[in-house]
Amino acid sequence: MTVWKCNKCGNTLDAVTPPETCPSCKEKCEFIDVTCYIPECGGPDSGNVNPQVFQESYKSDK
């Protein structure tokens, strides 16, 4: 399953598709796919997040 991260509050959730509204901050947010697809973090079947994508996914205007 895909790991999605809210671009506003950083909440992560496992879902096939991201929700319209973040269940944590209750905002309509952009969700970023932070699923690990590379061997360095365990690959797609690991359920891990890619730490580099996770860190870079915050908006710079915070």
Side-chain angles (χ1 to χ4, degrees):
M1 193 166 304
T2 305
V3 181
W4 299 97
K5 178 185 170 193
C6 172
N7 214 25
K8 288 191 179 180
C9 72
N11 180 54
T12 58
L13 56 112
D14 294 332
V16 175
T17 58
E20 293 267 333
T21 305
C22 177
S24 180
C25 67
K26 310 296 188 227
E27 298 287 327
K28 195 167 194 158
C29 304
E30 177 183 355
F31 281 86
I32 306 297
D33 179 355
V34 294
T35 305
C36 173
Y37 293 106
I38 57 174
E40 289 80 9
C41 55
D45 294 327
S46 68
N48 295 332
V49 299
N50 184 325
Q52 183 177 1
V53 175
F54 187 88
Q55 288 292 15
E56 293 173 358
S57 64
Y58 279 107
K59 290 190 176 191
S60 60
D61 62 351
K62 278 189 151 185

